Amino acid sequence: MKNHRKYYPLHHFIFYPIMLILLVLSLFEFWDNAVDERGVSLIWLMVSAVIISIIILSFMLRQHYALGLQDRLIINEFKFRYFAFTGNRLESLPYQFSDSQIFALRFSEDEDLIELINKTIENDWSSSKIKQNIKNWKADNRRI
């Protein structure tokens, strides 16, 4: 395979084509009835607006689901990273890290991670405070 595009048939080949066809038809009806003075064109304009809203919402939901999944992966990756360094589970600590703290801690290089974790536990640092104290920054260039 020359590219790695992934298609979800129901989404890409049924939902979006139907929505685009409905949009084109509603815009055509709006344009065709624009000369009418019975208010019919306003109805078609509203139908077009609803269809456009549905299309935009479906794109936004795709992004939302991807980010939610990515957050879960980052948390699990961080838990594994902690386990690899300490041999202990992150959940065994009496301190419970918030998601935002974990998201901030993941930017630290391996040699600084345990020290940052301990300082976060001792001082209950916010995510912004954690980021300010990272000595060796490890960028995440693959975030969605």
Side-chain angles (χ1 to χ4, degrees):
M1 198 160 146
K2 293 184 179 184
N3 61 40
H4 299 286
R5 289 189 185 137
K6 294 182 181 176
Y7 295 103
Y8 179 53
L10 182 63
H11 200 79
H12 289 99
F13 302 121
I14 297 174
F15 175 75
Y16 282 125
I18 288 173
M19 293 308 291
L20 290 174
I21 289 168
L22 288 174
L23 178 60
V24 168
L25 289 175
S26 65
L27 288 173
F28 176 77
E29 286 295 323
F30 165 72
W31 192 262
D32 195 40
N33 290 312
V35 291
D36 251 347
E37 295 183 19
R38 294 176 289 150
V40 176
S41 62
L42 183 61
I43 292 171
W44 284 110
L45 184 62
M46 297 283 210
V47 169
S48 299
V50 168
I51 292 170
I52 289 170
S53 298
I54 291 170
I55 292 170
I56 290 171
L57 181 64
S58 69
F59 276 119
M60 289 176 11
L61 283 176
R62 276 183 30 191
Q63 185 73 6
H64 172 74
Y65 292 143
L67 289 174
L69 178 59
Q70 186 166 312
D71 289 347
R72 289 182 64 187
L73 289 170
I74 288 168
I75 290 168
N76 284 325
E77 179 184 295
F78 182 79
K79 288 178 180 181
F80 177 74
R81 195 171 161 207
Y82 179 79
F83 181 79
F85 287 126
T86 66
N88 298 316
R89 293 175 53 119
L90 188 66
E91 296 88 350
S92 67
L93 291 173
Y95 184 86
Q96 296 298 312
F97 291 93
S98 68
D99 289 351
S100 62
Q101 288 173 317
I102 290 174
F103 299 150
L105 284 166
R106 74 188 164 111
F107 291 114
S108 69
E109 287 287 348
D110 293 345
E111 59 270 4
D112 299 330
L113 181 62
I114 300 304
E115 179 185 346
L116 273 172
I117 287 173
N118 291 332
K119 287 183 179 180
T120 300
I121 292 170
E122 291 169 15
N123 303 305
D124 194 28
W125 281 348
S126 66
S127 60
S128 58
K129 184 71 173 173
I130 293 168
K131 289 177 184 177
Q132 290 171 358
N133 284 280
I134 294 175
K135 296 173 191 163
N136 299 309
W137 193 269
K138 184 175 85 173
D140 181 3
N141 297 320
R142 299 190 327 184
R143 178 97 170 136
I144 291 178

